[in-house]
Amino acid sequence: MNSGVSNMRRGFLLCTVLLIGPIVASGAEKTLPHGDHSRNGWTIEQLVALINEERTSSVLFVETTYSSLLTEPLVSRGVLRFLPPSTLEKEVLSPYRERYLIEGDRVTFESERKQLKRAISLEDYPALRSFVDAFRATLTGDAVRLKHTYETRLDGDRRKWWLLLQPHESVEPSMVEQILISGSEGRIARITVRSTGGDRSVMTLSGGHAP
Amino acid sequence: MSVRRWVPAIWLVLMVCGIWYAATRLSIHNDLGDLLPEGSTATQRLLLTQVRTGLSGRLILLALEGAASDELAEASRVLGDTLRADRRFGFVGNGAQAWSKEELSLLSSVRYLLSRTVTADTFSEPSLRNALQQRLDDLRSPLGSMIKESIPGDPTGEVLGILQSWSGWDRPEKYRGVWMSADHTRAVLVVETRAAGFDVDAQEAIQLVIRKAFHHMVQTAHPTVRLLMSGPGVFAVEIQRMIETEAWWLSTAAAVLVLLFLFFSYRSLTLVLLSLIPISSGIVAGMIAVNAWFGFVHGITVGFGITLLGVVDDYPIHLFSHMTTRDSAKAVMRTIWPTMRMGALTTAIGFSSLLLAGYPALAQLGLLALVGILTGAFVTRWVLPACVLPGFKASGIGMDLLSRVDLTGKKTVLVPLVLVVATSAWIWSDTPLWQEDLGSLSPLSEDKKQLDQRLRRELGAPDVRDLLVVEGVTVEDLLQKAEVVMTRLEVLRQDRELAGYDIVSRYVPSHRTQQERQRALPDRAVLERNLEEALKGLPFAPGLFTPFLAAVEAARSQTLVDRDAFAGTMLGMKLESLLFLQQDRWLAAVPLRGVVDRTRLADAVAQWRDGSTSYVDLKEESNRLMTAYRDRTVQLLGWGMAAITIVLGLGLRSIILVGRVLAPILCSLLVVAAVLRGSGEPLSLFHVATFLLVIGLGLDYALFLNRPEGTEEERIRTNFGLLVCSTTTILVFGVLAFSKIPVLHAIGMTAACGALSCLLFAGLLARKEVHIA
């Protein structure tokens, strides 16, 4: 019982930590192919429209986390789901089970290992919010909103493209340095999030379909 | 003659000085706390301290509504930030408040002393491994990089654990980073004022700050948003203003009516103005006396005291009624003075019993009335006649009409009949004799009370009502006791006997507990070995946890934490209200929330038998307190009556006459009490205090009616004077009886009924042979 309480309590860390500071995530690949963002008339508007068109409701992912605290990367697998207009779900299936459900402003966090379920407000974590915004905007074909949150740069062509997102400097400081999304046609292949600390996470989407 | 000149001149000079003094030197307070008694038991004293300065009294609950959720969230954020910048607020909570960097680093430096999860097991190899694995999970979660920084120093997550355990009450749901009602139609905020909840002036200033900040925000953005405010301080201001407004316009209405009535009765503006001389002197003298004695005059004393002093207006009326062209005012005064003196003296005795009530509110009223009545009588006797021009005679149609009414009726048989009816009405009424629930005296509408309840629920703010009190000889003693109480309360909470509680031990452990935790910390070698084992197979960088090893080592011999370590922080404020010194005893106040069954809770606490913890139902306790003061006032009323009887006996030198004077008063009190009860109005402290006024009026009427009159004309004049007196009184208090404010209504109703029945009984019971003689 005692250790159960202690487990639960530690499980709250994730949420509590957010009370006290800024936030999140991981970096993008360093090598960024050069090129004009509108080569061959290939624009962000076209890209997001295409992604929106070819979007599927769920997709499997493999996420690799690189951190300066670690000697080797951590790997987790799971499913990403998206239900328009704004419900986003990340479910980790291995090596542990965990679920983040983002509906509007509400983030529900559920962890089997930590025996806890908890709801938090996305607004409390500005960086997470801009991150989520990027996904929502990309997945719903909303280029205006995407450009509102990020400095965008599109490289490549329709067959193989790279979309680089960098938070506007004017926006409140976030721990996200950049997000690089790459793919082909309307399919997202990989999302790399790079944080200001130099850590990064690389999420490879299998099947190549947007969630 | 010269007296005619210099007496009014001296009076005028004194009056001007008095008014100048009152205007410049009088300190008028509006802190309701000042009116509260000291309390005679420890619980009462605690209750009164809590009421005066306690945390729950200082909370103001706010809600923003009337716009879309996103807009409300933004508005809450703006309002919260504005208020946080103001020193008058100790704490502003809207969900967006955060710990400052300094506070966090302070907290972090004492984490191993404060964390409730620190045991010997925390640093065993399996526990460490479990913790480390969770940190790995954290690192790959979407929120990983936020936790990252704290991992090397605090891999077991003590700081976050402490913060979690401090978040205390179940907080409201958050939307866009701020607290919202469950249906997202209201953003809710709670502010803690530094000023006491009952300090009406300070509270009003603070509430004005909030309203201004809100209006400023509404003007720049969010035009549709509405602001709701509630809480003890808001109520105190509202009640005070309601009473002031209502008392003001009711008194104005009453005064206009009385002046008009006097004018039509005497057909003389001069006379109406002259009648103001004694009462205005009485008011000024009374206020100065109260200020000199108590150091301040309470706003409520001013309002009610002036009303009670209305009886003084009877004195000039008697004089004018008896004046004829034949006799000078001075001569008339000499003939009626013995009767008037007796009336003033006995009335003053009645009011002076309030001085002994031990209840500042009543004592102030008593002193004001005492000094006011004596001054008024004195001025009527010595100043007023000198102001009346010789040959002045009041006359008018009113006099002719009223003189036809014969007060001293022959239908004495009516008296027992009325008494029987009154007694049976009294006995058979279903209405409880006494008003036991203070809440019913509150003029607040049901809507306001419900809004308060709703906001309190939505915010998870403590109820103002339920409290545990833990006593200790020293802070350490108290903290040790409070730790035991906390574990017991936790059991009650898990049994759903209550929804939550707040206690000092949640934040500051006793030295004993801190030392226990220090002993549980392993030495560096052991910790290093355990950590090394726990890290096996985990991909953490080598040497990563050196800060952790150093922190644990340092904590083993660290200075223990005291409550003043947090002085000046958000937490410091809170601690002051949870732990304080009262008369050489350290007390911990433990506000409870959502108590399901108060009797069951009281039983449960009683069964702890620790001798230092008690459950206080503040509502019950304050009702009990008021009841105690009411009983005391009733008792003093009895003693006052006894004193009046003795003085009457000495003055009138006739037991029969004393009987004739007192009988109508006692009959009137019975009838008034029966009327009140029969009309479904249980008696409160305010009714009882007004009985004193009724006694004063009754004395005045009965003494004049039983005065040996020389001629039929004099009898008619006395009758006329009494009719004018009682009509003015009934007008004044009849108007008050229409007040929606229970206290004003109680006073008005009692005094109006009392004046009427005193007049009737005094007439019916007066001796009839006099005018024949």
Side-chain angles (χ1 to χ4, degrees):
Chain A
M1 158 116 196
N2 211 347
S3 82
V5 170
S6 142
N7 264 339
M8 271 184 66
R9 201 264 294 160
R10 290 205 169 77
F12 284 122
L13 287 196
L14 261 185
C15 309
T16 335
V17 80
L18 307 175
L19 292 174
I20 52 170
I23 228 183
V24 141
S26 313
E29 280 171 4
K30 278 174 191 164
T31 48
L32 189 68
H34 283 283
D36 257 66
H37 62 87
S38 60
R39 202 168 60 184
N40 311 328
W42 178 226
T43 65
I44 291 180
E45 283 74 12
Q46 289 172 333
L47 170 63
V48 293
L50 199 61
I51 292 175
N52 186 28
E53 222 168 86
E54 296 191 19
R55 190 185 65 220
T56 58
S57 63
S58 70
V59 66
L60 296 171
F61 72 83
V62 177
E63 186 176 18
T64 313
T65 308
Y66 302 85
S67 166
S68 58
L69 302 189
L70 303 173
T71 50
E72 55 186 74
L74 299 169
V75 180
S76 53
R77 289 160 213 278
V79 192
L80 284 180
R81 297 186 183 90
F82 182 69
L83 186 69
S86 66
T87 303
L88 197 59
E89 183 185 350
K90 178 185 180 186
E91 187 174 8
V92 181
L93 298 167
S94 94
Y96 51 88
R97 290 181 75 98
E98 229 169 53
R99 191 165 159 260
Y100 300 85
L101 181 63
I102 306 171
E103 299 157 293
D105 176 63
R106 190 184 158 96
V107 184
T108 315
F109 170 64
E110 215 174 325
S111 166
E112 197 180 58
R113 188 133 111 186
K114 292 168 182 167
Q115 303 169 8
L116 92 112
K117 181 172 180 175
R118 178 140 176 164
I120 55 173
S121 165
L122 191 55
E123 188 83 6
D124 275 349
Y125 317 112
L128 181 58
R129 183 178 161 213
S130 57
F131 185 70
V132 169
D133 274 352
F135 278 89
R136 284 181 180 155
T138 311
L139 293 173
T140 51
D142 191 345
V144 177
R145 187 154 147 205
L146 194 60
K147 285 175 172 170
H148 176 75
T149 319
Y150 291 98
E151 208 74 64
T152 57
R153 194 171 124 190
L154 181 63
D155 286 292
D157 52 29
R158 192 181 162 119
R159 200 181 47 77
K160 186 153 180 62
W161 49 262
W162 294 268
L163 175 63
L164 178 68
L165 306 173
Q166 284 175 305
H168 286 301
E169 292 208 2
S170 59
V171 190
E172 39 206 309
S174 98
M175 289 182 94
V176 178
E177 197 175 277
Q178 50 174 235
I179 302 172
L180 182 69
I181 307 175
S182 62
S184 164
E185 301 283 329
R187 297 184 302 271
I188 298 174
R190 173 180 289 192
I191 303 166
T192 306
V193 184
R194 183 181 161 123
S195 70
T196 40
D199 291 1
R200 70 200 148 96
S201 95
V202 182
M203 189 183 264
T204 311
L205 306 182
S206 64
H209 278 279
Chain B
M1 290 175 302
S2 68
V3 173
R4 182 159 307 285
R5 288 169 206 273
W6 63 255
V7 167
I10 290 180
W11 175 81
L12 201 64
V13 169
L14 285 177
M15 223 16 214
V16 168
C17 290
I19 289 173
W20 172 80
Y21 182 86
T24 55
R25 294 294 154 85
L26 226 56
S27 114
I28 295 189
H29 279 205
N30 274 320
D31 188 343
L32 293 174
D34 287 341
L35 284 186
L36 294 175
E38 288 299 313
S40 47
T41 65
T43 320
Q44 287 182 356
R45 277 194 291 272
L46 173 84
L47 158 78
L48 293 163
T49 311
Q50 281 294 307
V51 168
R52 283 198 189 97
T53 57
L55 172 68
S56 36
R58 288 186 282 119
L59 292 182
I60 299 180
L61 317 177
L62 305 176
L64 298 170
E65 58 175 33
S69 314
D70 288 2
E71 201 178 338
L72 290 176
E74 181 56 29
S76 167
R77 217 174 263 280
V78 173
L79 187 62
D81 290 347
T82 318
L83 298 183
R84 234 168 254 131
D86 194 308
R87 292 285 303 156
R88 277 167 287 200
F89 300 102
F91 170 75
V92 178
N94 62 349
Q97 74 280 5
W99 295 84
S100 73
K101 268 209 166 65
E102 294 73 28
E103 285 171 331
L104 279 176
S105 89
L106 170 70
L107 177 61
S108 173
S109 69
V110 292
R111 59 183 183 270
Y112 293 111
L113 301 179
L114 295 191
S115 174
R116 262 184 279 163
T117 50
V118 168
T119 62
D121 182 61
T122 312
F123 305 98
S124 68
E125 189 243 303
S127 293
L128 281 176
R129 188 165 177 91
N130 184 29
L132 291 170
Q133 255 160 351
Q134 293 201 6
R135 296 301 81 79
L136 282 184
D137 294 358
D138 291 349
L139 272 178
R140 57 186 141 186
S141 80
L143 309 174
S145 58
M146 290 195 57
I147 298 169
K148 181 187 165 192
E149 217 172 290
S150 72
I151 290 177
D154 187 16
T156 55
E158 304 304 336
V159 170
L160 299 167
I162 293 167
L163 287 178
Q164 182 61 40
S165 76
W166 283 0
S167 65
W169 310 102
D170 303 332
R171 285 309 183 186
E173 195 183 320
K174 272 192 179 185
Y175 176 76
R176 291 226 172 262
V178 297
W179 293 333
M180 286 263 177
S181 64
D183 57 1
H184 290 191
T185 55
R186 267 190 303 281
V188 286
L189 302 87
V190 57
V191 302
E192 182 189 352
T193 63
R194 289 186 200 274
F198 267 13
D199 189 344
V200 175
D201 293 337
Q203 282 289 334
E204 189 168 42
I206 286 169
Q207 287 158 30
L208 193 66
V209 169
I210 299 177
R211 291 215 167 82
K212 267 192 183 150
F214 171 74
H215 285 305
H216 180 75
M217 181 187 80
V218 170
Q219 273 161 14
T220 42
H222 322 297
T224 61
V225 178
R226 291 187 302 272
L227 172 72
L228 304 177
M229 281 168 84
S230 190
V234 178
F235 288 166
V237 170
E238 197 163 327
I239 290 174
Q240 173 113 352
R241 295 302 165 240
M242 266 168 87
I243 292 180
E244 274 176 14
T245 320
E246 193 133 338
W248 187 85
W249 86 259
L250 288 176
S251 323
T252 311
V256 168
L257 281 178
V258 166
L259 292 176
L260 282 176
F261 175 75
L262 285 179
F263 180 74
F264 283 112
S265 299
Y266 293 106
R267 291 289 161 122
S268 160
L269 188 61
T270 322
L271 191 142
V272 172
L273 293 177
L274 285 175
S275 74
L276 293 176
I277 290 179
I279 190 169
S280 57
S281 317
I283 291 169
V284 171
M287 299 242 267
I288 292 174
V290 171
N291 192 60
W293 184 264
F294 292 92
F296 70 94
V297 185
H298 201 279
I300 287 180
T301 314
V302 178
F304 290 175
I306 291 175
T307 317
L308 291 185
L309 279 182
V311 70
V312 170
D313 214 28
D314 291 2
Y315 305 152
I317 292 173
H318 286 309
L319 171 65
F320 299 143
S321 306
H322 283 90
M323 261 164 43
T324 58
T325 36
R326 285 192 307 278
D327 305 316
S328 72
K330 274 201 280 189
V332 171
M333 195 64 233
R334 266 197 297 275
T335 62
I336 62 169
W337 174 240
T339 311
M340 189 183 286
R341 182 181 55 194
M342 181 66 72
L345 203 61
T346 45
T347 308
I349 290 173
F351 277 109
S352 66
S353 61
L354 286 183
L355 278 175
L356 303 172
Y359 186 41
L362 290 181
Q364 285 212 347
L365 274 185
L367 186 65
L368 183 79
L370 175 71
V371 174
I373 284 167
L374 294 180
T375 312
F378 179 87
V379 169
T380 309
R381 170 67 183 90
W382 305 105
V383 179
L384 199 55
C387 301
V388 181
L389 294 169
F392 176 82
K393 177 186 172 288
S395 66
I397 298 169
M399 179 114 186
D400 302 336
L401 270 175
L402 287 168
S403 56
R404 282 179 213 152
V405 181
D406 188 0
L407 277 175
T408 53
K410 279 102 200 153
K411 302 177 186 70
T412 319
V413 65
L414 276 176
V415 176
L417 195 68
V418 171
L419 288 184
V420 167
V421 171
T423 314
S424 27
W426 169 273
I427 291 172
W428 298 115
S429 169
D430 295 337
T431 313
L433 173 55
W434 297 114
Q435 180 59 268
E436 304 287 356
D437 184 9
L438 260 185
S440 65
L441 289 179
S442 157
L444 290 173
S445 64
E446 210 40 49
D447 287 358
K448 297 243 158 88
K449 291 179 192 165
Q450 275 172 10
L451 171 71
D452 190 67
Q453 282 303 311
R454 203 174 57 212
L455 290 183
R456 219 160 266 285
R457 249 193 334 268
E458 285 173 0
L459 274 162
D463 297 328
V464 185
R465 186 167 171 178
D466 304 289
L467 195 69
L468 282 194
V469 181
V470 191
E471 279 184 61
V473 185
T474 61
V475 173
E476 176 63 16
D477 175 43
L478 180 59
L479 286 176
Q480 289 183 12
K481 283 175 177 162
E483 276 164 4
V484 179
V485 170
M486 182 158 79
T487 54
R488 287 170 168 162
L489 276 176
E490 192 51 40
V491 174
L492 288 178
R493 197 183 66 83
Q494 277 163 9
D495 291 347
R496 304 202 180 283
E497 285 292 328
L498 46 93
Y501 56 90
D502 206 5
I503 187 167
V504 63
S505 307
R506 194 196 289 280
Y507 310 99
V508 184
S510 65
H511 280 187
R512 186 176 65 184
T513 303
Q514 292 183 45
Q515 281 159 348
E516 263 167 36
R517 285 177 192 155
Q518 280 186 319
R519 282 194 292 275
L521 299 173
D523 66 32
R524 190 171 176 127
V526 174
L527 185 60
E528 235 167 317
R529 204 165 49 239
N530 289 349
L531 184 64
E532 202 177 313
E533 286 298 310
L535 278 169
K536 268 188 185 151
L538 298 183
F540 282 107
L544 181 68
F545 294 106
T546 316
F548 168 57
L549 295 170
V552 173
E553 182 63 20
R556 278 159 54 88
S557 54
Q558 187 172 12
T559 328
L560 301 180
V561 179
D562 282 315
R563 70 201 169 93
D564 39 350
F566 298 100
T569 67
M570 220 155 71
L571 180 59
M573 282 282 300
K574 198 182 189 88
L575 290 179
E576 276 172 42
S577 67
L578 293 178
L579 174 76
F580 47 88
L581 187 65
Q582 186 172 301
Q583 295 179 333
D584 303 331
R585 304 281 288 173
W586 283 95
L587 296 184
V590 186
L592 306 178
R593 192 169 60 83
V595 175
V596 177
D597 183 330
R598 296 193 162 83
T599 328
R600 224 161 47 212
L601 181 74
D603 288 346
V605 173
Q607 272 166 19
W608 296 347
R609 291 182 215 289
D610 62 0
S612 49
T613 310
S614 45
Y615 165 63
V616 186
D617 177 347
L618 288 182
K619 189 175 173 200
E620 275 307 304
E621 203 57 46
S622 47
N623 285 343
R624 213 169 299 156
L625 184 77
M626 281 310 264
T627 306
Y629 281 100
R630 185 201 62 215
D631 290 347
R632 183 148 171 74
T633 310
V634 172
Q635 206 181 3
L636 288 167
L637 199 71
W639 287 111
M641 278 304 277
I644 288 171
T645 312
I646 292 170
V647 173
L648 280 179
L650 290 174
L652 297 174
R653 304 196 175 278
S654 153
I655 293 186
I656 295 173
L657 265 184
V658 170
R660 281 191 190 283
V661 172
L662 284 184
I665 295 171
L666 295 174
C667 292
S668 305
L669 290 182
L670 177 67
V671 169
V672 172
V675 167
L676 288 172
R677 196 173 180 189
S679 64
E681 212 173 299
L683 300 185
S684 72
L685 185 62
F686 301 97
H687 292 102
V688 177
T690 314
F691 281 169
L692 281 169
L693 176 69
V694 174
I695 294 172
L697 295 169
L699 282 168
D700 192 48
Y701 302 162
L703 281 169
F704 268 94
L705 276 172
N706 286 292
R707 217 176 129 241
E709 313 271 15
T711 62
E712 172 70 11
E713 194 197 333
E714 261 192 58
R715 195 184 62 83
I716 289 174
R717 289 188 173 281
T718 302
N719 270 357
F720 173 68
L722 286 176
L723 273 176
V724 174
C725 288
S726 54
T727 309
T728 54
T729 309
I730 293 168
L731 276 178
V732 170
F733 290 100
V735 170
L736 270 196
F738 284 104
S739 171
K740 288 184 296 294
I741 295 171
V743 173
L744 293 179
H745 167 78
I747 292 176
M749 185 82 177
T750 312
C753 285
L756 183 63
S757 55
C758 275
L759 185 72
L760 294 178
F761 278 109
L764 288 173
L765 293 170
R767 60 174 163 189
K768 279 114 200 154
E769 69 276 21
V770 178
H771 58 274
I772 300 162

